Amino acid sequence: MTPNLQPNLQPGQKLARGVARYLRSLGYASLEEFVPMRGLRVDVMALGPKGELWVIECKSSRADFQSDGKWQGYLEWCDRYFWAVDTEFPTDLLPDDTGLIIADAYDAEIIRMAPEDKLAAARRKKLTLKFARDTARRLHSLRDPRPGQAGGMLHSAGEENDRA
Amino acid sequence: MTPNLQPNLQPGQKLARGVARYLRSLGYASLEEFVPMRGLRVDVMALGPKGELWVIECKSSRADFQSDGKWQGYLEWCDRYFWAVDTEFPTDLLPDDTGLIIADAYDAEIIRMAPEDKLAAARRKKLTLKFARDTARRLHSLRDPRPGQAGGMLHSAGEENDRA
């Protein structure tokens, strides 16, 4: 079950994998470690059939959650905001007005739907375009890695090419 | 120079690879074999920094070009339309009012810029969303292939998931 492109996933990345599988079953296409703007990196950005943009932050432990001082900055970059945690996580810590997904490395489930706060049209357009271009560049780097370029390393390729 | 994910490229796919590399150097993110609508499949769809959508059809020979009865149907799905051919191709065959790219498997160059015929806003929005979602699903299938799913085979994955 461990694909060769993902040999050593961190706990948060395992949750992200399960989240992406689950979201796909809902018709959402996911991109991990998306940078909506310089200095912000979300764990999973999901794009729905009608252009809905959801952010999912994956937290593997209480400490992981408590050390995140940035999450409120993500709210303005999505229509809905979710946490993804495992069954051991103390979910009482999480704010009530955010979505909750319980996940493991293989699957996930929405436990509490996030409230909707729709993006303005101009920001949605810009974000969708960046999502499309960043994703295509990562796919290109994976399909056509070249010596001397960052293409051989998935995450570096994503980062290097995340131009706003 | 032959990456393991692309072991046996057909002549047209080699041109597409060179085209995608070149377009990347221009700041365009490419997706191969994109389906703008059911029944149409373009060789390369490229998405520019401002949302420009270019279609590039790769023709490996005179016969390849002459057997294509569909290309005019692609014009309404892009802002600019190009042919990509190798140096041996009889370019006199190609219509003057289309763009021309000379390519090989490693690089390419625009010889004649295509005229611009801008997409209507609603179609651009829909196409950009489909490009984003199709690309993310292909990337996901490559990064997280699963037994019993088409994810292990790049093109099948793309096709299977090309839902409008």
Side-chain angles (χ1 to χ4, degrees):
Chain A
M1 288 297 286
T2 307
N4 57 4
L5 289 166
Q6 303 178 284
N8 293 306
L9 294 181
Q10 300 297 312
Q13 292 174 317
K14 287 184 184 170
L15 297 177
R17 191 180 74 173
V19 165
R21 290 184 180 187
Y22 170 65
L23 290 174
R24 185 164 186 155
S25 75
L26 299 186
Y28 280 67
S30 297
L31 180 64
E32 293 177 34
E33 303 190 24
F34 175 68
V35 176
M37 66 166 285
R38 191 178 294 272
L40 284 185
R41 177 180 305 272
V42 306
D43 289 336
V44 178
M45 178 66 91
L47 182 55
K50 294 181 178 169
E52 306 93 328
L53 284 160
W54 292 1
V55 163
I56 303 94
E57 283 295 296
C58 301
K59 294 299 173 192
S60 59
S61 67
R62 175 192 291 261
D64 189 15
F65 171 72
Q66 287 175 333
S67 66
D68 182 350
K70 282 190 170 182
W71 73 269
Q72 276 150 321
Y74 302 150
L75 297 173
E76 60 184 292
W77 299 95
C78 57
D79 298 309
R80 296 184 193 268
Y81 179 89
F82 297 84
W83 301 102
V85 298
D86 66 20
T87 53
E88 306 299 310
F89 189 94
T91 55
D92 289 351
L93 290 179
L94 303 172
D96 282 337
D97 56 347
T98 51
L100 175 59
I101 294 174
I102 299 292
D104 61 22
Y106 303 99
D107 202 354
E109 188 178 352
I110 292 176
I111 302 298
R112 183 174 66 226
M113 178 56 75
E116 185 178 52
D117 186 6
K118 278 202 178 180
L119 289 163
R123 179 166 285 187
R124 181 187 312 282
K125 184 176 171 183
K126 203 173 162 185
L127 272 178
T128 304
L129 177 59
K130 188 169 194 300
F131 180 104
R133 285 168 46 81
D134 290 358
T135 309
R137 280 190 295 246
R138 289 194 207 177
L139 179 63
H140 185 203
S141 294
L142 259 186
R143 293 190 63 212
D144 184 19
R146 281 178 289 170
Q149 298 219 351
M153 294 184 297
L154 183 62
H155 291 298
S156 310
E159 263 173 74
E160 184 192 65
N161 295 302
D162 279 340
R163 295 178 289 192
Chain B
M1 287 295 286
T2 307
N4 58 2
L5 287 165
Q6 304 178 285
N8 293 305
L9 294 181
Q10 300 298 312
Q13 292 174 318
K14 287 184 184 169
L15 297 179
R17 190 181 74 174
V19 165
R21 290 183 180 186
Y22 170 64
L23 289 174
R24 185 165 187 152
S25 75
L26 299 186
Y28 279 67
S30 296
L31 180 64
E32 292 177 35
E33 303 190 24
F34 176 68
V35 177
M37 64 167 287
R38 191 179 292 273
L40 284 185
R41 177 180 304 274
V42 306
D43 289 336
V44 178
M45 179 67 91
L47 182 55
K50 294 180 178 170
E52 306 93 327
L53 284 160
W54 292 2
V55 163
I56 302 94
E57 282 296 295
C58 301
K59 295 299 175 193
S60 58
S61 67
R62 174 191 292 260
D64 188 16
F65 171 71
Q66 287 175 334
S67 66
D68 181 349
K70 283 190 170 181
W71 72 268
Q72 275 150 322
Y74 301 150
L75 297 174
E76 58 184 295
W77 298 96
C78 58
D79 298 309
R80 298 183 193 267
Y81 180 89
F82 297 83
W83 301 102
V85 298
D86 66 19
T87 53
E88 305 300 309
F89 190 93
T91 55
D92 289 351
L93 290 178
L94 303 173
D96 283 338
D97 56 349
T98 52
L100 175 59
I101 294 173
I102 299 293
D104 62 21
Y106 304 99
D107 202 355
E109 188 177 355
I110 293 177
I111 303 298
R112 182 174 66 228
M113 178 54 75
E116 184 177 51
D117 185 5
K118 277 202 178 181
L119 290 163
R123 178 165 286 188
R124 181 187 311 283
K125 184 177 170 182
K126 204 174 161 181
L127 272 178
T128 304
L129 177 58
K130 189 169 194 302
F131 180 104
R133 285 167 47 82
D134 290 358
T135 309
R137 280 191 296 247
R138 288 193 206 178
L139 178 64
H140 185 202
S141 295
L142 260 185
R143 292 190 64 211
D144 184 19
R146 282 178 289 169
Q149 297 220 351
M153 293 184 299
L154 184 63
H155 292 299
S156 308
E159 263 174 72
E160 184 192 65
N161 295 303
D162 279 342
R163 295 178 290 190

